[in-house]
Amino acid sequence: MASAFSHAIVAWAIGKAVPMRELTTPTLAVGMACSILPDLDVVGFHFGIQYGDLWGHRGLSHSILFAVVLSGVLVTLGYRKRTAAAKLVLFTYFFLSTASHGLLDACTNGGLGVAFFSPFDPTRYFFPMRPVLVSPLGVGEFFTGYGWQVLLSEVLWLWLPAGCFVLVCRQLDRISAADV
């Protein structure tokens, strides 16, 4: 898996790429939490759930369906007084933030892959190019030589591209606004 830091940074970049007034700082924080939430499935290890099970790590909680359901619940419960257009923006942001988790994990060099289509299809997938070092599960393990290598890998392959994505999108937004 990618680290919680990288999941949050990618969700932040998604939210900051296109300026929308619905994406306030608290809303960006919710999106960043959505991007980390799928990894709560590691708690299952303590209850005997196996890695490759439906509820195992990178299983159902990393699926597209999970991202849809979580986003729908958040918008329905937390943003019900918003306009339909605002709800669509918020749903899209929460969905992309949550779904980005599985996409990042499919770029790592460890684990069993990601069950994108769970529960309908248990097949687990990786992307052909997997340049990101798999993150340690424990927080303390980040303060080891390998932990620092993981963070360096994520800075190179995730943080820098996320920052460039925001800058390019913002520049394109400025150019299109100037053309009007």
Side-chain angles (χ1 to χ4, degrees), residues 15 17 25 30 39 42 50 54 60 69 71 81 83-84 98 100 107 115-117 120 127 132 144 146 148 155 167:
T25 300
V30 171
D39 272 343
V42 298
Q50 298 297 307
L54 173 70
L60 184 63
V69 170
S71 303
K81 294 182 181 181
T83 66
T98 307
S100 73
C107 293
F116 289 116
F117 305 109
F120 310 108
F127 290 128
V132 180
T144 66
Y146 180 74
W148 290 111
V155 165
L167 293 174

Side-chain angles (χ1 to χ4, degrees), residues 29-165:
V30 171
M32 292 166 74
C34 287
S35 73
I36 297 168
L37 187 68
D39 272 343
L40 286 181
D41 61 10
V42 298
V43 171
F45 291 142
H46 299 290
F47 297 101
I49 297 173
Q50 298 297 307
Y51 194 115
D53 292 346
L54 173 70
W55 292 103
H57 186 50
R58 293 186 177 177
L60 184 63
S61 68
H62 286 57
S63 71
I64 295 167
L65 178 64
F66 179 82
V68 168
V69 170
L70 177 62
S71 303
V73 167
L74 284 172
V75 171
T76 300
L77 297 179
Y79 300 90
R80 60 179 164 257
K81 294 182 181 181
R82 303 288 178 95
T83 66
K87 287 179 185 177
L88 180 60
V89 168
L90 292 164
F91 176 88
T92 302
Y93 172 60
F94 295 144
F95 171 77
L96 292 174
S97 294
T98 307
S100 73
H101 187 108
L103 297 174
L104 296 185
D105 281 2
C107 293
T108 65
N109 68 346
L112 299 179
V114 178
F116 289 116
F117 305 109
S118 182
F120 310 108
D121 177 7
T123 307
R124 290 173 177 248
Y125 299 89
F126 279 114
F127 290 128
M129 185 175 160
R130 302 183 321 181
V132 180
L133 295 178
V134 70
S135 174
L137 290 175
V139 175
E141 295 174 49
F142 270 103
F143 302 104
T144 66
Y146 180 74
W148 290 111
Q149 288 177 338
V150 168
L151 288 176
L152 181 60
S153 162
E154 292 181 355
V155 165
L156 177 65
W157 293 103
L158 302 174
W159 300 16
L160 289 174
C164 289
F165 174 71

